[in-house]
Amino acid sequence: MVTPRLVAKIEAEEPTLRLAVLIDADNAQAAVIDGLLAEIARFGEATVKRIYGDFTAPTSASWKKVLQKYAIKPMQQFAYTTGKNATDSTLIIDAMDLLYTRKFDGFCLVTSDSDFTGLAMRLREEGLTVLGFGEKKTPEAFRNACHKFLFTEVLRPGAIASEVAVPNSHPAEQVSHGLPQTSEPILVRPEFPKTFVLDALEHSCDDSGWAHLGTFGSYLNKLQPDFDSRTYGYKKLSDLVKAKTDLFETEERLAPGSTHKNLYMRARK
């Protein structure tokens, strides 16, 4: 369920949440850092930024280049034994320590690892907002444990917003579909979830059949935390709604006592 504080932030002009940003370097890509921090700024202020990993390992070389630039505090964690992920344990312990300071309104967990599902649930039990950031491969359990989950593929520099990355793990299957053989992800557009979106609209509209865009967006996130209009090629939810003229009718209404206009929508008959 999306918390009232998160809904208020989405509708407000200025960030209101004090956020702790915890990055799992073993399961996140440095290439998304610009888009990631810009996205977090939409929700609130990143008062703590920490990244966890073994920065003596070659796999963390890309992260070392951006830590100073973005004032991210590295939390060095050596791999004491083979096959054990000490990074996860350290991140979880730090998250609980930060939780009990009572200084934060929410946490941003940057990882594609399902091991943090329990942490996300525990933070939510304390009434804090949990924002998740990870790749498409992120297990559904972790995505649904967050109030809002965003795919980092749409945050990459030059990413085509109408496409999402799909792992290219079966070369033989690529050949059969006439696709180029490459170790890089192939970008494909997912099918638009028409039934899901219309059902969400039905449950968020008033007796006249009209729904406020903010109410509709909030209900979408309650049902599916990883729903993101950018996955389907639209920068904002309002852009998606206005473009889907075969599904929606829209109208703008003046807010009471204001010159600001709110977007309302209903299912096209």
Side-chain angles (χ1 to χ4, degrees):
M1 178 179 178
V2 178
T3 64
R5 284 181 296 184
L6 180 56
V7 173
K9 167 64 203 86
I10 294 173
E11 296 178 349
E13 294 183 357
E14 297 295 332
T16 56
L17 301 183
R18 294 170 298 174
L19 301 172
V21 180
L22 307 180
I23 304 172
D24 175 12
D26 297 336
N27 288 283
Q29 301 296 322
V32 304
I33 190 63
D34 285 302
L36 173 68
L37 294 179
E39 192 69 25
I40 290 172
R42 292 180 56 239
F43 297 98
E45 179 185 1
T47 56
V48 166
K49 292 179 286 185
R50 297 181 183 177
I51 184 168
Y52 300 78
D54 183 0
F55 299 100
T56 65
T59 53
S60 299
S62 59
W63 277 112
K64 289 192 290 186
K65 298 177 182 178
V66 300
L67 298 185
Q68 186 174 5
K69 177 180 178 181
Y70 295 99
I72 302 173
K73 183 178 180 180
M75 309 298 288
Q76 172 64 31
Q77 185 59 54
F78 294 101
Y80 296 113
T81 59
T82 303
K84 300 291 184 180
N85 195 337
T87 298
D88 291 5
S89 300
T90 304
L91 191 156
I92 291 171
I93 292 170
D94 269 13
M96 298 308 295
D97 287 343
L98 292 171
L99 165 65
Y100 290 122
T101 66
R102 306 299 179 188
K103 294 180 179 179
F104 301 95
D105 301 307
F107 282 73
C108 300
L109 304 179
V110 185
T111 182
S112 302
D113 193 339
S114 64
D115 289 347
F116 296 103
T117 302
L119 173 62
M121 295 172 65
R122 181 69 181 89
L123 295 172
R124 289 188 63 158
E125 288 175 357
E126 290 292 326
L128 299 182
T129 297
V130 181
L131 305 173
F133 299 82
E135 298 176 352
K136 285 291 291 182
K137 66 181 181 181
T138 305
E140 188 175 16
F142 176 63
R143 284 154 38 191
N144 290 335
C146 301
H147 287 102
K148 177 69 177 176
F149 185 89
L150 295 103
F151 293 120
T152 54
E153 282 85 353
V154 301
L155 305 178
R156 289 179 176 273
I160 300 175
S162 62
E163 299 172 330
V164 295
V166 175
N168 204 3
S169 56
H170 300 289
E173 185 177 340
Q174 296 170 33
V175 174
S176 66
H177 287 81
L179 300 174
Q181 298 185 54
T182 174
S183 58
E184 296 296 321
I186 289 180
L187 298 177
V188 295
R189 179 182 297 182
E191 182 180 357
F192 183 74
K194 176 180 176 181
T195 301
F196 163 72
V197 169
L198 290 177
D199 285 345
L201 177 59
E202 182 178 355
H203 286 86
S204 55
C205 65
D206 57 22
D207 292 340
S208 66
W210 288 92
H212 183 277
L213 180 69
T215 303
F216 173 60
S218 176
Y219 196 79
L220 282 175
N221 285 325
K222 289 178 184 178
L223 296 179
Q224 189 172 314
D226 59 5
F227 184 88
D228 191 333
S229 60
R230 289 170 294 189
T231 302
Y232 306 101
Y234 303 94
K235 185 176 181 180
K236 298 183 293 186
L237 180 60
S238 58
D239 296 334
L240 184 153
V241 169
K242 291 177 181 178
K244 297 289 184 181
T245 55
D246 57 324
L247 300 180
F248 310 114
E249 295 180 42
T250 61
E251 68 176 38
E252 293 185 340
R253 304 177 187 175
L254 281 174
S258 171
T259 58
H260 175 72
K261 290 185 178 181
N262 293 322
L263 183 65
Y264 285 77
M265 52 188 293
R266 70 178 179 184
R268 182 167 292 280
K269 299 177 181 179

